[in-house]
């Protein structure tokens, strides 16, 4: 993962309901516009954030999304940290496999979300929860 300097106070959104997933999408879109991500990159980031927020709600039992702006000295970006205290992911390699789903739905899954962002980091432990950090950089 590329590191960056945090440019301001992160905004935190609790994820406890479907309405909160919508709020995460709105917060990410607003932040992406402020950083001047292209429309395509805004859409990619919001789509990834929506998938990860929904996963936080459904599989993690709820949690938080922390959205911040960052800079690596050459460009600005949006960093989002999704954290839950859920059951964790027992087989991370399997969960990151293209097309893998436990919900029987047509969601992007973790692998799809990973493809939509520039940096993707996941920390998980069974019984301790999951933290996923994603960053999308301006072009």
């Amino acid at each position: 993962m590329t590191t960056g300097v945090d440019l301001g106070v992160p905004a935190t959104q609790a994820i406890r309901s479907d309405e909160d997933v919508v709020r995460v999408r709105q917060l990410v879109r607003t932040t992406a516009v402020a950083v001047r991500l292209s429309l395509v990159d805004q859409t990619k980031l919001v789509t990834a954030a929506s998938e990860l927020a929904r996963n936080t709600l459904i599989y993690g039992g709820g949690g938080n999304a922390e959205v911040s702006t960052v800079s690596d000295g050459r460009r600005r970006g949006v960093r989002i940290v999704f954290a839950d205290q859920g059951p964790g992911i027992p087989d991370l390699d399997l969960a990151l496999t293209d097309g893998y789903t436990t919900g029987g739905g047509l969601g992007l899954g973790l692998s799809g979300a990973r493809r939509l962002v520039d940096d993707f980091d996941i920390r998980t432990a069974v019984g301790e929860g999951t933290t996923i950090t994603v960053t999308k950089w301006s072009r």
Side-chain angles (χ1 to χ4, degrees):
M1 175 190 286
T2 305
T3 59
V5 176
D6 192 341
L7 296 177
V9 177
T12 301
Q13 171 63 55
I15 303 171
R16 308 263 184 269
S17 67
D18 288 336
E19 291 80 13
D20 291 336
V21 172
V22 173
R23 288 183 188 97
V24 169
R25 290 176 58 94
Q26 292 168 338
L27 176 59
V28 169
R29 172 79 66 190
T30 300
T31 307
V33 168
V35 171
R36 297 186 174 184
L37 293 183
S38 71
L39 184 57
V40 169
D41 284 343
Q42 290 174 36
T43 303
K44 287 179 179 180
L45 183 61
V46 169
T47 301
S50 182
E51 178 72 13
L52 296 172
R54 185 153 305 287
N55 285 357
T56 300
L57 177 63
I58 294 170
Y59 302 112
N64 293 299
E66 184 179 277
V67 181
S68 59
T69 57
V70 293
S71 173
D72 68 359
R74 297 175 304 146
R75 58 200 171 153
R76 293 177 49 163
V78 178
R79 177 168 298 146
I80 314 164
V81 179
F82 296 90
D84 67 60
Q85 300 299 313
I89 302 170
D91 188 341
L92 187 54
D93 289 336
L94 180 61
L96 289 169
T97 302
D98 282 346
Y100 177 77
T101 180
T102 59
L106 297 176
L108 290 171
L110 293 176
S111 65
R114 180 172 59 179
R115 281 192 303 275
L116 293 172
V117 297
D118 298 315
D119 299 324
F120 183 97
D121 181 68
I122 184 166
R123 312 284 170 154
T124 187
V126 173
E128 295 180 21
T130 302
T131 300
I132 299 174
T133 304
V134 299
T135 306
K136 189 73 174 168
W137 295 101
S138 61
R139 305 275 169 230

